[in-house]
Amino acid sequence: MVSVRRYLHQHPELSFEEKETPAMIAAFYRELGVEVKTGVGGNGVTALIKGGNPGKRIALRADFDALPIQDEKDVPYKSTVPNKMHACGHDGHTSTLLHLAKALHAIREDLPGEYVMIHQHAEEYAPGGAKPMIEDGCLEGVDAVFGTHLWATEPTGKIQYRTGPIMAAADRFEIKIQGAGGHGAQPHKTKDALVTGAQLVTALQQVVSRKVNPIDSAVVTVGSFVADNAFNVIADSAKLIGTARTFNPEVRDLVEKEIGRITQGICLAADCTFDYTYFRGYPAVVNHAAETDYLVEQARHISDVKEIEEAEAQMGGEDFAYYLEHKPGTFFFTGAKAPHVEKPYPHHHPKFDFDEKAMLIAAKTLGASALNYHN
């Protein structure tokens, strides 16, 4: 597991650019003699392990894309590709699933049912790889689907679960403001797009604080505000880019509507025009109750699992959501805090790393869930 994970870590590939990674995954299965399909929904790979006895068909999923981040760790397995890095643990997810599949294949004659190994591309960048893989049939005949995320901010040995929403819908919005630029000494002859944008950044804070029910959760963040000019020029145009995170579909609709309404009002007051686009990303990850309870029960019987905890809902996004819209299942976190680190670097950080022992815990938990679901 460690060897394969480190190889992948040294050779990262970005979303929708994956070529060598799926080829390596397919070669791994072919060497085992396992039925494998490539090019599933784009760059995805699926493998099918058939048990020797009747039973259900269980799907297990791991993602394998990297991020456009420069690896700043001082380790022997540091990324060899400039500005590309596995900064979220997908290399670990992939090695976990490959070696779980190898173990299942070794005892296949004694197993009930069938096991679909879903190796998914492009989780990090919407529209993602899950949806096209599903459309290409990766969930055909599947009775349940399970997935985990190595969670580097929690101790190794901890399993975190949650029934219902566990990760948020992740959307993006862009607002382009068009004013009338001019000389900084003659503001009365202009329509200041920068000032209008600044008012809009402030006003958008009211979407969550004054429009969303406090019982619900939502985030509206403006992450980029560009109105680049010389010091003595009033901006002709400005562009704001941000993200919205929600769990409730009705709140999601409300946030999209309110951002547009506030933008319209601010720009009208400033006599500026605007272009507002709201891009819907992944829906919320909503775990099924029966499968989540079942997962918790399986985790209790794994000796390496020292703690099982109900997780707080996370505002991060995950396209595992699409699998759960089609099939019963659950998505959980496997603690993977890097050893000898008091304060671990967060996911998507240039120095991100995780405890490789957590891969074995993830494999055992996923494996137990897959094997015992037939009972």
Side-chain angles (χ1 to χ4, degrees), residues 54-68:
K56 298 175 181 177
R57 177 177 278 200
I58 311 302
L60 303 173
R61 175 269 204 171
D63 39 18
F64 58 73
D65 56 325
L67 286 155

PDB file of all heavy atoms in Angstrom, residues 54-68:
ATOM      1  N   PRO A  54     -23.705 -16.885  -4.432  1.00  0.00           N
ATOM      2  CA  PRO A  54     -24.694 -15.840  -4.730  1.00  0.00           C
ATOM      3  C   PRO A  54     -24.656 -14.734  -3.681  1.00  0.00           C
ATOM      4  O   PRO A  54     -24.310 -14.964  -2.518  1.00  0.00           O
ATOM      5  CB  PRO A  54     -26.029 -16.590  -4.697  1.00  0.00           C
ATOM      6  CG  PRO A  54     -25.680 -18.029  -4.830  1.00  0.00           C
ATOM      7  CD  PRO A  54     -24.332 -18.196  -4.211  1.00  0.00           C
ATOM      8  N   GLY A  55     -25.036 -13.532  -4.085  1.00  0.00           N
ATOM      9  CA  GLY A  55     -25.075 -12.421  -3.149  1.00  0.00           C
ATOM     10  C   GLY A  55     -25.326 -11.115  -3.861  1.00  0.00           C
ATOM     11  O   GLY A  55     -25.626 -11.084  -5.053  1.00  0.00           O
ATOM     12  N   LYS A  56     -25.189 -10.039  -3.132  1.00  0.00           N
ATOM     13  CA  LYS A  56     -25.461  -8.709  -3.669  1.00  0.00           C
ATOM     14  C   LYS A  56     -24.232  -8.159  -4.398  1.00  0.00           C
ATOM     15  O   LYS A  56     -23.138  -8.724  -4.328  1.00  0.00           O
ATOM     16  CB  LYS A  56     -25.868  -7.775  -2.533  1.00  0.00           C
ATOM     17  CG  LYS A  56     -27.150  -8.223  -1.829  1.00  0.00           C
ATOM     18  CD  LYS A  56     -27.461  -7.350  -0.627  1.00  0.00           C
ATOM     19  CE  LYS A  56     -28.736  -7.826   0.066  1.00  0.00           C
ATOM     20  NZ  LYS A  56     -29.037  -7.038   1.289  1.00  0.00           N
ATOM     21  N   ARG A  57     -24.451  -7.050  -5.087  1.00  0.00           N
ATOM     22  CA  ARG A  57     -23.354  -6.362  -5.772  1.00  0.00           C
ATOM     23  C   ARG A  57     -23.064  -5.074  -4.998  1.00  0.00           C
ATOM     24  O   ARG A  57     -23.920  -4.190  -4.906  1.00  0.00           O
ATOM     25  CB  ARG A  57     -23.702  -6.066  -7.220  1.00  0.00           C
ATOM     26  CG  ARG A  57     -22.621  -5.282  -7.950  1.00  0.00           C
ATOM     27  CD  ARG A  57     -22.927  -5.051  -9.419  1.00  0.00           C
ATOM     28  NE  ARG A  57     -22.581  -6.217 -10.227  1.00  0.00           N
ATOM     29  CZ  ARG A  57     -22.378  -6.177 -11.543  1.00  0.00           C
ATOM     30  NH1 ARG A  57     -22.503  -5.032 -12.204  1.00  0.00           N
ATOM     31  NH2 ARG A  57     -22.068  -7.275 -12.207  1.00  0.00           N
ATOM     32  N   ILE A  58     -21.854  -4.961  -4.473  1.00  0.00           N
ATOM     33  CA  ILE A  58     -21.458  -3.823  -3.644  1.00  0.00           C
ATOM     34  C   ILE A  58     -20.410  -3.011  -4.379  1.00  0.00           C
ATOM     35  O   ILE A  58     -19.445  -3.562  -4.923  1.00  0.00           O
ATOM     36  CB  ILE A  58     -20.885  -4.294  -2.290  1.00  0.00           C
ATOM     37  CG1 ILE A  58     -21.802  -5.328  -1.638  1.00  0.00           C
ATOM     38  CG2 ILE A  58     -20.656  -3.091  -1.374  1.00  0.00           C
ATOM     39  CD1 ILE A  58     -23.208  -4.839  -1.389  1.00  0.00           C
ATOM     40  N   ALA A  59     -20.569  -1.700  -4.391  1.00  0.00           N
ATOM     41  CA  ALA A  59     -19.603  -0.809  -5.030  1.00  0.00           C
ATOM     42  C   ALA A  59     -18.782  -0.084  -3.972  1.00  0.00           C
ATOM     43  O   ALA A  59     -19.315   0.365  -2.948  1.00  0.00           O
ATOM     44  CB  ALA A  59     -20.309   0.203  -5.927  1.00  0.00           C
ATOM     45  N   LEU A  60     -17.488   0.021  -4.228  1.00  0.00           N
ATOM     46  CA  LEU A  60     -16.574   0.774  -3.376  1.00  0.00           C
ATOM     47  C   LEU A  60     -15.846   1.776  -4.270  1.00  0.00           C
ATOM     48  O   LEU A  60     -15.405   1.431  -5.359  1.00  0.00           O
ATOM     49  CB  LEU A  60     -15.565  -0.163  -2.712  1.00  0.00           C
ATOM     50  CG  LEU A  60     -16.165  -1.299  -1.879  1.00  0.00           C
ATOM     51  CD1 LEU A  60     -15.066  -2.252  -1.422  1.00  0.00           C
ATOM     52  CD2 LEU A  60     -16.928  -0.760  -0.682  1.00  0.00           C
ATOM     53  N   ARG A  61     -15.713   2.993  -3.805  1.00  0.00           N
ATOM     54  CA  ARG A  61     -15.174   4.057  -4.669  1.00  0.00           C
ATOM     55  C   ARG A  61     -13.947   4.728  -4.074  1.00  0.00           C
ATOM     56  O   ARG A  61     -13.876   4.990  -2.871  1.00  0.00           O
ATOM     57  CB  ARG A  61     -16.268   5.089  -4.936  1.00  0.00           C
ATOM     58  CG  ARG A  61     -15.846   6.320  -5.716  1.00  0.00           C
ATOM     59  CD  ARG A  61     -15.398   7.417  -4.778  1.00  0.00           C
ATOM     60  NE  ARG A  61     -15.509   8.752  -5.355  1.00  0.00           N
ATOM     61  CZ  ARG A  61     -15.350   9.869  -4.673  1.00  0.00           C
ATOM     62  NH1 ARG A  61     -15.060   9.828  -3.395  1.00  0.00           N
ATOM     63  NH2 ARG A  61     -15.477  11.035  -5.256  1.00  0.00           N
ATOM     64  N   ALA A  62     -12.972   5.016  -4.945  1.00  0.00           N
ATOM     65  CA  ALA A  62     -11.803   5.824  -4.589  1.00  0.00           C
ATOM     66  C   ALA A  62     -11.519   6.784  -5.737  1.00  0.00           C
ATOM     67  O   ALA A  62     -11.694   6.440  -6.903  1.00  0.00           O
ATOM     68  CB  ALA A  62     -10.588   4.940  -4.333  1.00  0.00           C
ATOM     69  N   ASP A  63     -11.077   7.996  -5.424  1.00  0.00           N
ATOM     70  CA  ASP A  63     -10.740   8.984  -6.447  1.00  0.00           C
ATOM     71  C   ASP A  63      -9.229   9.046  -6.620  1.00  0.00           C
ATOM     72  O   ASP A  63      -8.478   8.639  -5.740  1.00  0.00           O
ATOM     73  CB  ASP A  63     -11.309  10.364  -6.090  1.00  0.00           C
ATOM     74  CG  ASP A  63     -11.198  10.683  -4.605  1.00  0.00           C
ATOM     75  OD1 ASP A  63     -10.397  10.018  -3.906  1.00  0.00           O
ATOM     76  OD2 ASP A  63     -11.905  11.585  -4.134  1.00  0.00           O
ATOM     77  N   PHE A  64      -8.751   9.566  -7.767  1.00  0.00           N
ATOM     78  CA  PHE A  64      -7.305   9.518  -7.999  1.00  0.00           C
ATOM     79  C   PHE A  64      -6.705  10.781  -8.612  1.00  0.00           C
ATOM     80  O   PHE A  64      -5.534  10.780  -9.013  1.00  0.00           O
ATOM     81  CB  PHE A  64      -6.918   8.299  -8.838  1.00  0.00           C
ATOM     82  CG  PHE A  64      -7.559   8.179 -10.205  1.00  0.00           C
ATOM     83  CD1 PHE A  64      -7.174   8.992 -11.256  1.00  0.00           C
ATOM     84  CD2 PHE A  64      -8.526   7.211 -10.440  1.00  0.00           C
ATOM     85  CE1 PHE A  64      -7.734   8.861 -12.522  1.00  0.00           C
ATOM     86  CE2 PHE A  64      -9.095   7.063 -11.702  1.00  0.00           C
ATOM     87  CZ  PHE A  64      -8.702   7.886 -12.746  1.00  0.00           C
ATOM     88  N   ASP A  65      -7.434  11.890  -8.681  1.00  0.00           N
ATOM     89  CA  ASP A  65      -6.848  13.103  -9.256  1.00  0.00           C
ATOM     90  C   ASP A  65      -6.118  13.928  -8.206  1.00  0.00           C
ATOM     91  O   ASP A  65      -6.361  13.802  -7.006  1.00  0.00           O
ATOM     92  CB  ASP A  65      -7.927  13.953  -9.935  1.00  0.00           C
ATOM     93  CG  ASP A  65      -9.073  14.306  -9.001  1.00  0.00           C
ATOM     94  OD1 ASP A  65      -9.435  13.464  -8.141  1.00  0.00           O
ATOM     95  OD2 ASP A  65      -9.621  15.413  -9.107  1.00  0.00           O
ATOM     96  N   ALA A  66      -5.209  14.781  -8.679  1.00  0.00           N
ATOM     97  CA  ALA A  66      -4.408  15.630  -7.805  1.00  0.00           C
ATOM     98  C   ALA A  66      -4.833  17.091  -7.948  1.00  0.00           C
ATOM     99  O   ALA A  66      -5.833  17.402  -8.599  1.00  0.00           O
ATOM    100  CB  ALA A  66      -2.926  15.462  -8.142  1.00  0.00           C
ATOM    101  N   LEU A  67      -4.053  17.979  -7.351  1.00  0.00           N
ATOM    102  CA  LEU A  67      -4.377  19.405  -7.313  1.00  0.00           C
ATOM    103  C   LEU A  67      -3.244  20.253  -7.895  1.00  0.00           C
ATOM    104  O   LEU A  67      -2.073  19.848  -7.843  1.00  0.00           O
ATOM    105  CB  LEU A  67      -4.635  19.839  -5.868  1.00  0.00           C
ATOM    106  CG  LEU A  67      -5.969  19.395  -5.268  1.00  0.00           C
ATOM    107  CD1 LEU A  67      -5.881  19.332  -3.755  1.00  0.00           C
ATOM    108  CD2 LEU A  67      -7.085  20.333  -5.696  1.00  0.00           C
ATOM    109  N   PRO A  68      -3.561  21.442  -8.408  1.00  0.00           N
ATOM    110  CA  PRO A  68      -2.522  22.335  -8.942  1.00  0.00           C
ATOM    111  C   PRO A  68      -1.816  23.106  -7.831  1.00  0.00           C
ATOM    112  O   PRO A  68      -1.943  24.319  -7.693  1.00  0.00           O
ATOM    113  CB  PRO A  68      -3.324  23.263  -9.868  1.00  0.00           C
ATOM    114  CG  PRO A  68      -4.684  23.316  -9.257  1.00  0.00           C
ATOM    115  CD  PRO A  68      -4.921  21.956  -8.664  1.00  0.00           C
TER     116      PRO A  68
END
